[in-house]
């Protein structure tokens, strides 16, 4: 068992044939994952820059896009200052520097706790908050526990999600399975405009078509079956959504568990509120099937 820093910005976890790398400077993003020797996540930033893919970023305080970067909360209008065109995208954590605060090794896992404290009062989200990330690596799974604490003296709105990209040897022949209540219908700017009912079980080959779809789930699990591994992606949240995106880079697919949909600060779908000094916790798991 091993847990070490290869450099000041990268943490390496290792347990037998399972390994994980975490980038402190890119919002605590998971850049590498091997489970029982099977390559699940790798770093493809040379092919597509991280600031374009947001690969494995934790999405907070909002997921995906906010229309024009604007929203109203408690009768006050807020506007994000962003450099991504007219829409704010993927929250505020993706480029933040986290600090390692604790390591732990047990008989069956290794873990690390990371911390980021925001006191910036950024334009569009002028609140103090802290985020703890706890990665725990087992031989057949990795879990990510996230604790968001409102350190401010007033409440704030939020949604939260995770943006992992999974590597497959043959994406088009990979199978995705989950139970869904509805699919979100987007306009050309990927802003939701409607929800269309679905009949439950979704079971489809990724194929050659490009996908950028959001689904309302009946539970917190999705399964990806590829030629080299099968995994479950699970969320501890009660009400869940799933964003599915096929990267322009061949053989990568993003399967993103999220608590709300794009533009949730305006459409309120999945939007949560965190009171002063309150803490929100969510756990995501990537589990190797028959590992």
């Amino acid at each position: 068992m091993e847990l070490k820093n290869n450099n000041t910005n990268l943490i390496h976890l290792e347990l037998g044939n399972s390994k994980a790398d975490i980038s402190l400077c890119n919002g605590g993003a998971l850049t590498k994952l091997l489970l029982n020797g099977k390559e699940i996540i790798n770093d493809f930033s040379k092919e597509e820059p991280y600031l374009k893919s947001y690969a494995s970023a934790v999405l907070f305080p909002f997921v995906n896009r906010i229309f024009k970067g604007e929203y109203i909360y408690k009768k006050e209008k807020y506007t994000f200052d962003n450099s991504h065109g007219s829409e704010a995208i993927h929250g505020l954590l993706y480029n933040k520097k986290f600090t390692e605060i604790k390591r732990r090794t047990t008989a069956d896992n290794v873990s690390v706790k990371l911390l980021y404290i925001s006191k910036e009062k950024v334009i569009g989200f002028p609140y103090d908050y802290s985020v703890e990330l706890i990665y725990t690596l087992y031989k057949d799974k990795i879990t990510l526990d996230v604790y968001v604490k409102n350190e401010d003296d007033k409440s704030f709105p939020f949604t939260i999600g995770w943006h992992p990209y999974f590597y497959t040897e043959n994406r088009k022949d990979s199978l995705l399975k989950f139970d869904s209540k509805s699919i979100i219908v987007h306009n050309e700017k990927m802003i939701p405009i409607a929800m269309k009912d679905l009949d439950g079980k979704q079971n489809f080959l990724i194929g050659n078509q490009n996908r950028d779809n959001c689904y309302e789930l009946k539970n917190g699990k999705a399964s990806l079956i590829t030629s080299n591994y099968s995994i479950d992606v699970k969320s501890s949240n009660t009400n869940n959504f799933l964003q599915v995106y096929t990267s322009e880079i061949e053989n990568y697919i993003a399967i993103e568990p999220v608590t709300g949909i794009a533009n949730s600060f305006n459409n309120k779908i999945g939007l949560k509120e965190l009171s002063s000094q309150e803490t929100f916790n969510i756990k995501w798991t990537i589990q190797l099937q028959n590992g």
Side-chain angles (χ1 to χ4, degrees):
M1 291 179 287
E2 186 176 11
L3 193 162
K4 64 183 180 181
N5 283 45
N6 288 335
N7 57 55
T8 57
N9 290 321
L10 190 69
I11 285 180
H12 179 74
L13 287 75
E14 187 168 340
L15 182 69
N17 290 327
S18 295
K19 302 176 182 180
D21 286 343
I22 301 153
S23 173
L24 292 173
C25 60
N26 287 335
L30 180 66
T31 62
K32 176 181 178 179
L33 178 64
L34 272 72
L35 293 176
N36 201 17
K38 300 181 185 297
E39 188 175 29
I40 312 295
I41 290 173
N42 62 30
D43 184 358
F44 60 98
S45 59
K46 290 183 179 180
E47 290 78 22
E48 182 171 283
Y50 172 73
L51 291 182
K52 181 179 179 183
S53 72
Y54 299 87
S56 294
V58 175
L59 314 178
F60 175 85
F62 61 89
V63 302
N64 301 323
R65 291 164 173 80
I66 295 179
F67 182 55
K68 294 184 178 180
E70 299 175 351
Y71 68 98
I72 294 174
Y73 178 62
K74 294 189 174 181
K75 299 182 179 181
E76 185 172 350
K77 184 177 179 179
Y78 298 87
T79 302
F80 285 95
D81 180 17
N82 69 87
S83 57
H84 303 280
S86 59
E87 274 70 53
I89 186 169
H90 291 333
L92 302 174
L93 289 183
Y94 62 88
N95 62 351
K96 298 301 185 290
K97 178 70 178 288
F98 275 73
T99 301
E100 177 190 334
I101 59 174
K102 186 177 181 181
R103 304 182 182 212
R104 186 166 180 255
T105 300
T106 70
D108 66 345
N109 68 71
V110 291
S111 66
V112 64
K113 181 186 291 188
L114 311 177
L115 176 65
Y116 171 72
I117 299 174
S118 175
K119 295 185 179 295
E120 298 179 57
K121 301 287 187 182
V122 301
I123 295 173
F125 199 75
Y127 308 100
D128 294 336
Y129 62 90
S130 62
V131 180
E132 282 188 1
L133 307 179
I134 303 175
Y135 283 96
T136 305
L137 179 68
Y138 302 79
K139 69 175 184 178
D140 62 349
K141 68 180 178 180
I142 193 168
T143 63
L144 172 54
D145 256 300
V146 183
Y147 294 86
V148 178
K149 183 177 180 182
N150 183 347
E151 308 278 5
D152 216 291
D153 59 2
K154 52 187 177 294
S155 63
F156 58 68
F158 76 99
T159 49
I160 192 168
W162 194 21
H163 202 305
Y165 279 79
F166 298 97
Y167 168 74
T168 74
E169 293 181 351
N170 190 342
R171 183 176 67 189
K172 68 182 181 66
D173 291 332
S174 296
L175 182 69
L176 187 60
K177 299 169 62 176
F178 53 89
D179 288 347
S180 177
K181 299 177 183 179
S182 60
I183 185 171
I184 314 303
V185 181
H186 298 85
N187 64 16
E188 67 281 359
K189 293 183 177 293
M190 291 306 296
I191 300 299
I193 55 175
M195 297 179 73
K196 181 180 178 181
D197 290 342
L198 294 176
D199 58 3
K201 291 188 180 299
Q202 305 300 306
N203 188 336
F204 54 83
L205 286 173
I206 305 302
N208 290 317
Q209 61 181 303
N210 295 325
R211 296 181 182 272
D212 195 357
N213 305 110
C214 185
Y215 300 87
E216 182 183 14
L217 297 184
K218 286 189 173 182
N219 54 43
K221 185 178 84 169
S223 299
L224 178 65
I225 301 167
T226 79
S227 60
N228 47 316
Y229 64 80
S230 297
I231 57 169
D232 293 329
V233 181
K234 296 181 282 189
S235 171
S236 65
N237 194 55
T238 303
N239 300 307
N240 296 279
F241 296 85
L242 189 74
Q243 188 78 26
V244 179
Y245 175 69
T246 50
S247 170
E248 295 175 3
I249 307 301
E250 187 178 5
N251 291 336
Y252 291 89
I253 180 170
I255 300 174
E256 310 165 41
V258 291
T259 62
I261 68 174
N263 204 32
S264 59
F265 275 30
N266 291 303
N267 59 42
K268 314 301 183 187
I269 299 174
L271 188 67
K272 300 178 182 295
E273 186 175 65
L274 201 60
S275 299
S276 174
Q277 304 307 308
E278 185 180 3
T279 298
F280 172 83
N281 169 239
I282 190 169
K283 176 185 281 189
W284 296 301
T285 302
I286 299 172
Q287 172 83 56
L288 187 67
Q289 296 180 12
N290 303 317

